[in-house]
């Protein structure tokens, strides 16, 4: 599943081809993805200029004057900028055609084999319900250790589940939560309310470091092979705990353990993480 770094890498890849360009037509090869595609997408987008390409959590927004297309890649979604005559495959569900420039005409194509992705509509001046009640972006100043500390007081849920709660902070998926907790030396099973302010400061810093690193690497390696968990190959080689049950901790040699928290596999080192 594409995680925040892959979605941000996608945004950075497509934005220069889209911003400032006018949409000439929209081709919807099916009426729905995960949810029905609202009629505004086909009716209002043609003729509009794309003003900005924004990422919020794992959503991408194509902003125009009359409203915004809201996209989520789901499990298997891919967005590519292609020449208009690119052959259409079975899972190429949406094409957004762009006016020609000196490099020729282009289409933005949304491909999604499993169709857990979505294409929705956000009228101008409104916030789509899927974007309401989201916590801050992890790579902004609004996210820090103090925020985690304040929000966690009195919470008995495991700190890993707290960190993965989109109302606390968006985009910290299972892999990144496991790795950040290892880097911060915090046992993922510990009650969120029992983690000190100083340790949350360390955790927030590690979340930022790991996500920023993944985004930076993603920029050049997105076309590398993607393993069945959806992780780019470069990332698998760097993992400290995720997917390493029974293998020696890279820091202390103790066998990495696995437990299921909130239906998700969690990995930690019993010696390095307290
Ligand atoms: Zn260890």
């Amino acid at each position: 599943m594409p995680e925040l770094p892959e979605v941000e890498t996608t945004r950075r890849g497509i934005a220069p081809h889209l911003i400032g360009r006018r949409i000439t037509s929209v081709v919807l090869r099916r009426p729905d993805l995960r949810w029905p595609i609202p009629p505004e997408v086909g009716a209002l987008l043609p003729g509009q200029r794309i003003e900005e390409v924004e990422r919020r959590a794992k959503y991408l927004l194509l902003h125009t004057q009359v409203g915004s297309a809201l996209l989520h890649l789901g499990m298997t979604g891919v967005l590519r900028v292609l020449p208009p005559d690119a052959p259409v495959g079975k899972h190429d569900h949406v094409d957004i055609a762009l006016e020609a420039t000196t490099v020729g005409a282009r289409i933005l194509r949304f491909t999604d084999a499993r169709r857990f992705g979505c294409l929705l509509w956000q009228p101008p001046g409104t916030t789509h319900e899927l974007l309401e009640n989201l916590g801050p972006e992890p790579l902004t100043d609004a996210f820090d250790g103090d925020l985690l500390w304040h929000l966690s007081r009195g919470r008995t849920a495991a700190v890993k589940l707290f960190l993965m709660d989109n109302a606390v902070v968006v985009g910290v998926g299972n892999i990144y939560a496991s790795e950040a907790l290892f880097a911060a030396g915090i046992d993922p099973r510990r009650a969120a309310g029992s983690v000190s302010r100083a340790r949350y400061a360390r955790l927030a810093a590690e979340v930022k470091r790991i996500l920023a690193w993944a985004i930076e690497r993603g920029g050049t390696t997105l076309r590398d092979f993607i393993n069945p968990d959806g992780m780019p190959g470069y990332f698998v080689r760097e993992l400290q705990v995720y997917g390493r049950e029974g293998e020696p901790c890279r820091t202390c040699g103790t066998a990495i353990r696995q437990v299921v928290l909130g239906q998700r596999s969690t990995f930690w080192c019993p010696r390095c993480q307290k």
Side-chain angles (χ1 to χ4, degrees):
M1 172 182 337
E3 293 288 346
L4 185 146
E6 288 79 49
V7 179
E8 176 61 19
T9 301
T10 295
R11 188 194 70 79
R12 293 180 186 187
I14 64 175
H17 301 278
L18 270 50
I19 293 171
R21 289 181 79 172
R22 198 173 294 283
I23 295 167
T24 54
S25 64
V26 175
V27 177
L28 305 173
R29 296 195 181 85
R30 47 177 307 127
D32 59 351
L33 294 164
R34 179 173 182 174
W35 297 301
I37 298 170
E40 290 92 334
V41 172
L44 299 184
L45 275 187
Q48 292 300 313
R49 197 177 291 281
I50 298 174
E51 296 176 332
E52 190 55 74
V53 181
E54 183 194 6
R55 180 188 57 74
R56 178 73 174 109
K58 296 204 293 182
Y59 294 92
L60 289 170
L61 291 135
L62 310 184
H63 293 300
T64 76
Q65 240 174 17
V66 298
S68 307
L70 175 67
L71 285 145
H72 193 286
L73 302 176
M75 303 285 285
T76 53
V78 178
L79 279 169
R80 289 170 299 164
V81 175
L82 299 167
D85 57 354
V88 177
K90 182 177 163 191
H91 304 297
D92 295 336
H93 305 306
V94 178
D95 286 348
I96 295 176
L98 304 160
E99 66 181 345
T101 65
T102 49
V103 295
R106 288 288 182 270
I107 55 170
L108 176 68
R109 174 165 288 173
F110 187 40
T111 305
D112 189 0
R114 293 184 62 184
R115 281 188 279 113
F116 282 107
C118 65
L119 172 52
L120 299 169
W121 186 254
Q122 176 178 279
T126 67
T127 300
H128 195 280
E129 61 179 337
L130 291 172
L131 305 184
E132 285 179 348
N133 309 315
L134 291 179
E137 289 289 327
L139 293 172
T140 63
D141 290 343
F143 172 67
D144 63 13
D146 280 354
L147 175 89
L148 291 176
W149 185 77
H150 279 295
L151 291 178
S152 63
R153 292 310 87 189
R155 303 266 289 250
T156 55
V159 60
K160 178 169 176 257
L161 299 181
F162 171 72
L163 186 61
M164 291 177 66
D165 181 350
N166 276 331
V168 173
V169 56
V170 299
V172 184
N174 195 34
I175 302 157
Y176 297 101
S178 287
E179 294 293 308
L181 284 161
F182 173 80
I186 299 170
D187 186 327
R189 303 166 301 168
R190 175 179 278 278
S194 76
V195 177
S196 72
R197 198 167 191 150
R199 299 183 86 199
Y200 270 129
R202 173 92 187 274
L203 180 60
E206 294 295 351
V207 166
K208 288 174 191 279
R209 180 184 65 80
I210 291 169
L211 288 175
W213 177 86
I215 290 167
E216 192 183 310
R217 295 293 294 271
T220 53
T221 53
L222 194 66
R223 282 175 295 277
D224 276 11
F225 93 100
I226 306 275
N227 82 357
D229 291 332
M231 281 181 288
Y234 68 85
F235 197 74
V236 176
R237 293 192 294 273
E238 307 283 344
L239 295 174
Q240 300 297 311
V241 287
Y242 187 85
R244 299 191 66 239
E245 186 192 13
E247 293 177 43
C249 170
R250 299 192 207 276
T251 300
C252 74
T254 304
I256 299 297
R257 288 209 204 146
Q258 179 182 2
V259 69
V260 174
L261 286 178
Q263 289 108 49
R264 307 296 299 275
S265 284
T266 296
F267 301 87
W268 85 104
C269 171
R271 186 152 169 209
C272 293
Q273 294 175 258
K274 300 293 178 193

